[in-house]
Amino acid sequence: MDAAVAEALTAADRADLGAGIITREAAEHEIAAVLDRFESTWGAGRGPDHSMIRALVHAGGTVLVAVADDEGGVDASSTPPFARPGELLGSTLGFLGWNEGIHLHSHMNAVAPAARGHGIGLALKLRQRAICLEHRVDEIRWTFDPLIRRNAHMNLVRLGAEVAAYLPEFYGVLGDDISGADRSDRFEVRWRLDSPRVRRALAGGVPARWSGSNGFALVPDFEALRRDDAAGAARMREASVRAFTEMARQGLRPELDADGNYVFTADAPDRAPEAEEAR
């Protein structure tokens, strides 16, 4: 086992321990529970059907689950208080792609509402990373709504992924329980699994200070704004389309500044924090 794989497995196991769960590949008897987890997040009929998940599980398509420990994998005292032993609290699925190089496209990641904010989404991502590196796949990509600040922070800061593309209206009108009739604008992120940027982020290092004079201010909770002030959310979305379109036209990339807002930069993605650059 090489050093990168060993480090990734250790990081994934540590995240499991911190969340009081076990992350692993889904078993066939868990397919219905995986489907329920996706449908309870996006709505009935808004995810893959049972046969598709079964095919992915059979093929090794990186269908992962996070379960409250009942297997002796973590100290029972750390099992989440909101969970029953063995309860499926989260799931994620991905599939291989080869556009611009072999990578795993991580398509769906869902955590039970009561379990959010407890590190389960992070644990699932780190298990994906470890499995990919074990199979000599060194990049994972996925998309996210650029206006949801907590996802931007998780992806760009906590995990160390970087934005590779702006994809306006990527899915069309989704009409699901999360997005409703809102535009499906997305950032595609690239997670280079053993890069200096990712290693630094996963170690909790200080983020780089990005140069750039333009950017876009985020609100703390865009989903709440969309629910409580549809007109205000629509204005913010339209403003973001103009800003991100111009950003892409100029060949810039969004990063988060210390206040949690976007700065549009041409800095190298692996740029080190100033303290390291000064050494």
Side-chain angles (χ1 to χ4, degrees):
M1 182 183 300
D2 67 26
V5 173
E7 175 276 325
L9 288 168
T10 297
D13 290 343
R14 187 182 302 119
D16 282 6
L17 184 64
I21 58 166
I22 293 173
T23 55
R24 54 169 171 74
E25 295 188 62
E28 288 193 5
H29 72 270
E30 294 172 312
I31 292 173
V34 169
L35 180 60
D36 286 346
R37 176 55 49 227
F38 291 147
E39 290 199 338
S40 67
T41 299
W42 286 283
R46 296 297 177 177
D49 62 16
H50 188 281
S51 63
M52 178 62 74
I53 297 176
R54 191 185 192 288
L56 287 168
V57 169
H58 177 76
T62 322
V63 181
L64 306 182
V65 294
V67 297
D69 181 40
D70 66 349
E71 304 169 2
V74 298
D75 185 339
S77 64
S78 67
T79 300
F82 47 77
R84 302 183 307 274
E87 182 180 358
L88 195 150
L89 299 172
S91 186
T92 185
L93 68 80
F95 45 84
L96 288 179
W98 49 75
N99 284 350
E100 300 181 21
I102 293 292
H103 62 280
L104 181 81
H105 181 83
S106 182
H107 183 54
M108 303 183 81
N109 193 338
V111 175
R116 292 171 188 165
H118 293 272
I120 294 173
L122 172 64
L124 284 166
K125 279 289 187 221
L126 292 180
R127 188 62 61 189
Q128 270 189 330
R129 175 176 181 256
I131 290 171
C132 282
L133 287 172
E134 281 187 298
H135 290 83
R136 302 183 184 277
V137 175
D138 62 5
E139 186 172 302
I140 299 177
R141 302 178 198 168
W142 63 92
T143 65
F144 77 98
D145 185 334
L147 297 188
I148 300 180
R149 177 183 271 175
R150 70 175 186 282
N151 289 347
H153 184 270
M154 169 64 81
N155 295 334
L156 305 186
V157 179
R158 183 66 185 86
L159 293 176
E162 67 212 54
V163 173
Y166 170 52
L167 307 172
E169 284 284 35
F170 185 58
Y171 298 108
V173 177
L174 288 167
D176 59 26
D177 288 353
I178 295 178
S179 300
D182 194 8
R183 290 173 58 100
S184 59
D185 301 331
R186 295 293 184 265
F187 281 160
E188 180 181 25
V189 296
R190 176 176 294 154
W191 199 23
R192 295 176 293 119
L193 302 180
D194 194 36
S195 65
R197 175 189 177 107
V198 169
R199 292 196 303 271
R200 187 182 302 117
L202 295 182
V206 176
R209 181 176 296 178
W210 305 102
S211 63
S213 57
N214 297 317
F216 189 83
L218 297 174
V219 296
D221 190 344
F222 179 74
E223 290 170 304
L225 178 67
R226 185 164 56 193
R227 181 184 64 245
D228 301 334
D229 181 5
R235 288 192 296 271
M236 184 173 182
R237 179 71 71 185
E238 290 303 319
S240 77
V241 171
R242 294 190 294 271
F244 299 150
T245 299
E246 180 61 17
M247 172 200 73
R249 188 191 69 78
Q250 295 183 29
L252 302 176
R253 185 187 73 256
E255 297 283 1
L256 286 183
D257 64 18
D259 296 321
N261 298 313
Y262 288 121
V263 57
F264 301 154
T265 184
D267 293 341
D270 284 322
R271 178 178 179 175
E274 292 178 355
E276 293 184 20
E277 292 175 344
R279 292 177 186 172

